[in-house]
Amino acid sequence: MEQRLYLYPVWLRIWHWINAVLFLLLLFTGLSLQYSSVEFSFIDFDLAVTMHNVSGIIITIAYFMFLFGNMFTSNGRFYKAKRKGYISDLIVQIKYYTYGIFIHQKTPFPVTENRKFNPLQKLSYVASMYFLLPILILSGFALIFPEIIIKNVFGVSGIHLTGLVHIISGFSLSIFLFIHVYFCTIGKTPLANFKSMINGWH
Amino acid sequence: MTGFIAKSTIIGVMSLWMIVSATASNPEEDEIVFENAGFNHKCFNCHGQKTYHYFNQSTEKEVKDRMNPYFVIDSVAFYQSNHRNFMCTDCHSSDYENFPHNGELRMEPQFTCMDCHGGDPTFAQYQFERIEEEFQQSVHSTKHSNDFTCWMCHNPHTYKINARNNLNINEVIIYDNNICLSCHADINKYQLLSDQTNPNVLVTHDWLPNQALHFSKVRCIECHTEIDKEMLIAHKVQVKEKAVKRCVECHSQNSLLMATLYKFQTVEKRNKLGFFNAAILSDHYIIGANRNYYLNVASLIIFGLTLLGITIHAIIRIMSK
Ligand code: HEM
């Protein structure tokens, strides 16, 4: 397919890279908060708290940029669930990734103007952008303003539950990140997708 | 039909249980009679209210006057305090029974805690001697010598042990902090001892984020006293330069709070659900101190499997090229 497609509008690329950088910062400072210790630290605790809070606020603003972008531009159509036969498509895609790709089969869902994501990408993007990230953001804000949290849930501190939700959703997104970045290397060339996300053209 | 029987049985058992527990809790609500309440009532007649009456023998008139607010004693708090079984005159001269009080009486020396508690084996668990020793080395004592006594923090008429027997840790924190704040947030009491203008604790602690949360969840003494492993309440308040400022001293797995605030509850390291520092959990969540063992292990495993999967996939991809 020699024809080039313009699939990544400027706003999306700006959002994406702001998001990626901040997410890495949050991951790094978040880990150093969770595994803080008296003997050793990558970064001072109070500095880590401040950086984590500030990055969290900016990533939230960026998230709204993404939401509005998908609401008001045609990019949103790539995230629409779903037509019939999705599950079987998904299985086809999984088979391709676990087997077909190694014997040089053609990708079952090539990128077209109306299909930017294969079924697996779609699932992981929708899950992370419309489920995990909102949870992460909400629980994060609750921890910045702990007075809004319910004090006590069945004998367990509300702040503690919120903290757990925050950590679990943050962890899941980090796992997503690793898989995401790896699968991005599956393109025409290993770097093709990264170039696309920079210049916009597929 | 069986459903109906099952429901009625459950309701029956529940109401029975409620009745039983209601009767069981009754005795607690009964008023406890203090042996000296009758005597103390004479003093509380005047010292329990904002106003008091007396008969002026020279003018032969009943007089109503205002009580000095600092001399008003809260009788409810008194009867909950450690010394609730006392007569007022166990500590004060019995000449106070007369009114007007003899002016000489105010010159009388007060008892100190050690006068009664020093060397008394009944109170060995409280380690009064050690407390006194630490107190002597504290900033308060060294800077103000004899003017600063134990009574300054332990109100003679209301002091009640808390950390030792109160399971509600939030109440303990409030109680203990109010002791410090009775001076550090009240210029009048502070200047009994110092001519300085009281530094505002909210300003001097503005480096602490979520300050309101911290002040309601940790005690002043956590940061300001030298930790003493032998004692429940360390009493050596140190100069401000020695105060805890590093966040990780609390926000870490070996949180200093386990040696202070949660001392009484730190029996096990990990509770059934696998949380480190579980004692902290019921009311608190301290970043860095409350890690979950199982979550830790699970996250390592998931992360490892992810990396492994990616690596294998990548290797096969490269080899099949
Ligand atoms: C260093 C980190 C990251 C790198 C190198 C990276 C790389 C890429 C690349 C190359 C693409 C284009 C391929 C495609 O459309 O599938 C992409 C798309 C995307 N990435 Fe990332 N990413 C990173 C972090 C993240 C993070 C942290 C998130 C979300 C939490 C994220 C969410 C997305 C989404 C939703 C898309 C699809 C955007 C669209 O086309 O509508 N990425 N990423």
Side-chain angles (χ1 to χ4, degrees):
Chain A
M1 210 199 315
E2 278 312 303
Q3 178 200 7
R4 300 226 305 158
L5 293 170
Y6 185 65
L7 281 180
Y8 306 97
V10 177
W11 67 263
L12 182 69
R13 283 177 274 149
I14 296 179
W15 162 76
H16 183 269
W17 293 118
I18 292 180
N19 185 61
V21 168
L22 288 174
F23 191 87
L24 288 176
L25 255 178
L26 284 162
L27 179 57
F28 174 70
T29 50
L31 279 175
S32 64
L33 290 178
Q34 170 75 349
Y35 294 100
S36 54
S37 108
V38 183
E39 298 84 36
F40 172 76
S41 65
F42 292 109
I43 171 171
D44 278 349
F45 189 90
D46 36 354
L47 184 62
V49 168
T50 315
M51 279 170 63
H52 198 79
N53 288 350
V54 172
S55 320
I57 290 166
I58 305 177
I59 212 172
T60 307
I61 298 171
Y63 179 68
F64 279 106
M65 180 172 161
F66 171 87
L67 270 191
F68 289 134
N70 269 359
M71 238 182 253
F72 299 120
T73 76
S74 59
N75 196 59
R77 71 185 188 282
F78 301 119
Y79 292 81
K80 291 259 157 50
K82 168 42 270 179
R83 46 198 177 79
K84 270 211 251 119
Y86 177 71
I87 301 283
S88 52
D89 287 357
L90 197 61
I91 293 170
V92 170
Q93 182 66 30
I94 293 175
K95 276 194 187 139
Y96 171 71
Y97 274 150
T98 50
Y99 179 66
I101 185 174
F102 302 129
I103 57 167
H104 308 289
Q105 276 178 2
K106 277 244 164 63
T107 165
F109 301 97
V111 177
T112 68
E113 197 181 335
N114 288 315
R115 185 173 60 213
K116 176 154 65 164
F117 305 139
N118 67 46
L120 206 58
Q121 268 176 321
K122 187 175 201 163
L123 177 69
S124 66
Y125 290 160
V126 169
S128 48
M129 294 313 295
Y130 292 103
F131 182 66
L132 289 174
L133 196 54
I135 293 182
L136 187 63
I137 287 177
L138 283 177
S139 55
F141 270 84
L143 290 171
I144 300 186
F145 302 105
E147 54 281 1
I148 63 178
I149 299 177
I150 310 165
K151 285 250 155 51
N152 205 300
V153 186
F154 300 121
V156 181
S157 144
I159 294 192
H160 181 238
L161 287 182
T162 317
L164 272 184
V165 168
H166 192 68
I167 286 171
I168 293 175
S169 53
F171 173 77
S172 312
L173 271 176
S174 320
I175 293 291
F176 158 78
L177 173 68
F178 277 85
I179 301 176
H180 172 56
V181 173
Y182 174 69
F183 275 94
C184 286
T185 65
I186 303 181
K188 215 171 283 158
T189 68
L191 286 181
N193 280 329
F194 299 98
K195 286 187 190 138
S196 306
M197 206 40 167
I198 292 170
N199 62 29
W201 291 92
H202 184 83
Chain B
M1 192 57 204
T2 42
F4 175 73
I5 295 175
K7 268 186 211 153
S8 350
T9 323
I10 293 177
I11 294 172
V13 169
M14 274 172 63
S15 12
L16 188 69
W17 178 75
M18 274 150 77
I19 294 166
V20 169
S21 51
T23 28
S25 61
N26 244 356
E28 268 182 89
E29 284 158 25
D30 277 350
E31 236 174 70
I32 306 160
V33 185
F34 293 97
E35 42 180 321
N36 295 312
F39 175 87
N40 290 347
H41 189 68
K42 288 193 279 181
C43 309
F44 277 127
N45 259 339
C46 293
H47 287 285
Q49 275 99 206
K50 293 193 178 113
T51 55
Y52 65 98
H53 304 261
Y54 63 93
F55 186 70
N56 184 330
Q57 264 147 353
S58 0
T59 61
E60 307 212 330
K61 265 202 223 144
E62 183 76 18
V63 180
K64 185 179 184 185
D65 206 347
R66 283 172 301 178
M67 178 56 84
N68 176 340
Y70 293 106
F71 293 176
V72 175
I73 289 159
D74 180 346
S75 59
V76 176
F78 180 81
Y79 286 116
Q80 288 169 352
S81 73
N82 292 336
H83 300 123
R84 57 188 170 271
N85 291 323
F86 278 47
M87 287 201 280
C88 306
T89 49
D90 285 337
C91 294
H92 297 285
S93 162
S94 53
D95 292 344
Y96 273 112
E97 286 182 58
N98 306 321
F99 188 84
H101 303 319
N102 184 344
E104 299 276 301
L105 289 175
R106 68 161 52 187
M107 307 303 169
E108 276 199 335
Q110 302 283 359
F111 283 120
T112 67
C113 311
M114 302 314 282
D115 289 339
C116 301
H117 290 287
D120 185 340
T122 345
F123 302 105
Q125 56 167 335
Y126 294 101
Q127 297 177 282
F128 274 90
E129 284 75 18
R130 201 173 170 129
I131 291 182
E132 152 141 86
E133 210 175 285
E134 287 197 348
F135 169 67
Q136 300 294 353
Q137 298 164 2
S138 72
V139 259
H140 292 127
S141 180
T142 50
K143 290 209 177 160
H144 305 282
S145 64
N146 295 329
D147 301 339
F148 206 115
T149 64
C150 312
W151 301 115
M152 294 282 174
C153 288
H154 296 294
N155 184 315
H157 311 114
T158 61
Y159 166 49
K160 162 174 171 243
I161 43 172
N162 253 279
R164 180 172 289 276
N165 58 4
N166 192 339
L167 287 179
N168 183 338
I169 227 152
N170 291 328
E171 273 175 31
V172 173
I173 294 169
I174 293 171
Y175 182 89
D176 288 8
N177 282 357
N178 279 342
I179 289 182
C180 310
L181 293 174
S182 75
C183 285
H184 287 287
D186 177 0
I187 186 91
N188 295 328
K189 191 171 169 197
Y190 185 84
Q191 290 196 332
L192 272 179
L193 296 151
S194 168
D195 297 329
Q196 293 169 19
T197 48
N198 191 353
N200 184 336
V201 283
L202 295 182
V203 174
T204 51
H205 295 81
D206 58 5
W207 49 272
L208 200 58
N210 302 50
Q211 198 189 47
L213 181 72
H214 274 108
F215 276 5
S216 62
K217 298 287 189 176
V218 285
R219 297 174 301 179
C220 318
I221 52 177
E222 253 77 73
C223 295
H224 284 291
T225 57
E226 184 181 74
I227 293 183
D228 182 337
K229 290 208 161 56
E230 307 290 308
M231 258 179 2
L232 183 60
I233 311 283
H235 268 73
K236 187 170 165 190
V237 177
Q238 299 178 294
V239 289
K240 64 180 177 212
E241 288 77 19
K242 288 200 180 159
V244 171
K245 201 166 187 175
R246 288 176 61 210
C247 321
V248 284
E249 306 218 6
C250 295
H251 289 281
S252 61
Q253 198 156 306
N254 42 1
S255 178
L256 73 80
L257 295 178
M258 300 315 284
T260 56
L261 187 53
Y262 302 99
K263 192 170 226 162
F264 239 52
Q265 304 168 15
T266 324
V267 194
E268 68 223 307
K269 190 168 179 206
R270 228 193 282 149
N271 79 347
K272 289 182 276 247
L273 292 169
F275 287 99
F276 287 107
N277 297 339
I280 307 182
L281 274 187
S282 62
D283 294 305
H284 298 255
Y285 172 66
I286 306 171
I287 303 172
N290 296 129
R291 297 175 204 161
N292 184 298
Y293 176 78
Y294 299 114
L295 273 189
N296 265 357
V297 173
S299 60
L300 275 180
I301 293 176
I302 296 175
F303 184 67
L305 287 177
T306 309
L307 281 191
L308 190 70
I310 290 179
T311 320
I312 293 175
H313 199 271
I315 290 175
I316 307 184
R317 249 174 84 205
I318 293 169
M319 290 195 333
S320 68
K321 224 172 195 168

